[in-house]
Amino acid sequence: MASDGFRPLDEKSLVEYIKATPSLVSILGKEFDKLEIKEVGDGNLNFVYIVVAPSGSIVIKQALPYIRCIGESWPMTKERAYFEATALKEYGRLCPENVPEVYHFDRTMCLIGMRYLEPPHIILRKGLIAGVEYPLLAEHISDYMAKTLFFTSLLYLTTTDHKRAVAEFCGNVELCRLTEQVVFSDPYKVSQYNRCTSPYLDANAEAVRNDNGLKIEVAELKSKFCERAQALIHGDLHTGSLMVTHDSTQIIDPEFSFYGPMGFDIGAFIGNLILAYFSQAGHADQANDRKSYKVWILKTITETWNLFHKKFVALWDEHKDGPGEAYLPEIYNNTELRQLVKQKYMKELLEDTLGFGAAKMIRRIVGVAHVEDFESIEDVAKRADCERRALNCAKKLLKERRNIKSIEEVVSTIKQVHLQ
């Protein structure tokens, strides 16, 4: 490992690294004996250090050459740090209020230094488990998705600029392959890393593996994921990739980023909100039945899509005479035609969102990495009950997505499955 200059940093060697790095010293100052360093990487892949000094603070994230939660038996490219840093900078340019600033990137060490999102910022997933409402969440995430997806698509870019950007991110093939495996392949076959809440869901997991209709739909989604370079997507935009307070929403961890289908990002976020919804029964107690919280989650799902739709179309209208080459103004030269084009585009995008969101839900229940929303429910039978409903909902959305015309219909489906 050392031959290419890479070495994993521990707390001691990190101090020496900081001392030798002017861009980090400029933020943290030179009182090195007063540095407080804490390793907080609870993720599946990386080391994450919070570094606090009297004059400033920073987060240092270092990619390892294997999947941390599994170990060296599952190697993983360190180069993902380059794509994460590149995506963070691009997203920061397009939506600075929702993306932490990158102060430093070291390609050899696969290391990013970025803004520390200080308390009370917490991971959104933890807030959802605790039953905390975030009144601006839909406003912020819809803003982030509308801007980052529109401005990196052919609705805004020339084909030359778009292809150059696609080529830049094509190198992130290993993380794309990981997604292909865990989202579109493993849940539909017997795989050593799959697990479910056994024995309660064994039959449900087997039903997924034997469902021909589901497999045909998933094949189509996999093909879109692999072949459609629609926009620069985050690639892992679940509720564990956002840090929030009541008035701040920050998107982190875009190491899976590449040019892919927009619906994969929107679906990942909405799909994870649906998982959070179905988990609430397992977190309810005598003090709080979580009923009003479930109403808030459904409201957030509805607002996220509707606000995204509104903002995305507004950007499209604003830049209809811009450089984008998807719909040339001299061809799409009347209001009626432009309206038809937008309706078709947004209908397909809702279908993609529901398909990818549902696929992400399924893999979190019968695949490799599960979600804390369910895992933190101690009563195993109750957990399995919540998961079963979420799984049924996902299968229904995946198979029926082409007939769903609005996010309100999605919410009706969620409520309907919840009562079964």
Side-chain angles (χ1 to χ4, degrees), residues 305-357:
W305 172 261
N306 287 340
L307 285 168
F308 165 77
H309 186 296
K310 183 178 151 192
K311 292 170 185 181
F312 189 87
V313 170
L315 287 171
W316 191 343
D317 289 340
E318 187 187 337
H319 296 280
K320 68 179 188 296
D321 299 315
E325 294 195 52
Y327 299 98
L328 297 170
E330 56 266 44
I331 300 173
Y332 301 88
N333 54 5
N334 65 74
T335 312
E336 186 189 359
L337 179 57
R338 283 197 296 266
Q339 196 57 34
L340 286 170
V341 159
K342 279 184 287 205
Q343 279 171 359
K344 182 173 186 294
Y345 194 100
M346 297 311 285
K347 179 182 182 296
E348 280 181 20
L349 189 45
L350 179 59
E351 280 174 24
D352 283 0
T353 294
L354 298 179
F356 287 123

Side-chain angles (χ1 to χ4, degrees), residues 223-280:
S223 156
K224 271 194 176 176
F225 179 83
C226 298
E227 297 162 3
R228 189 155 200 211
Q230 202 173 21
L232 177 59
I233 65 170
H234 179 287
D236 202 26
L237 193 61
H238 53 70
T239 51
S241 297
L242 277 76
M243 293 196 73
V244 291
T245 66
H246 279 83
D247 47 19
S248 165
T249 305
Q250 301 292 319
I251 285 77
I252 58 169
D253 293 350
E255 61 201 336
F256 283 79
S257 57
F258 77 112
Y259 271 73
M262 297 179 184
F264 193 77
D265 269 8
I266 312 165
F269 181 71
I270 288 177
N272 273 263
L273 285 183
I274 300 173
L275 292 178
Y277 174 86
F278 281 104
S279 77
Q280 293 304 314

Side-chain angles (χ1 to χ4, degrees), residues 62-82:
Q62 186 178 35
L64 297 169
Y66 52 83
I67 294 185
R68 184 179 174 182
C69 68
I70 290 171
E72 295 188 33
S73 63
W74 192 331
M76 179 55 56
T77 174
K78 318 187 292 294
E79 272 293 285
R80 64 184 185 270
Y82 168 76

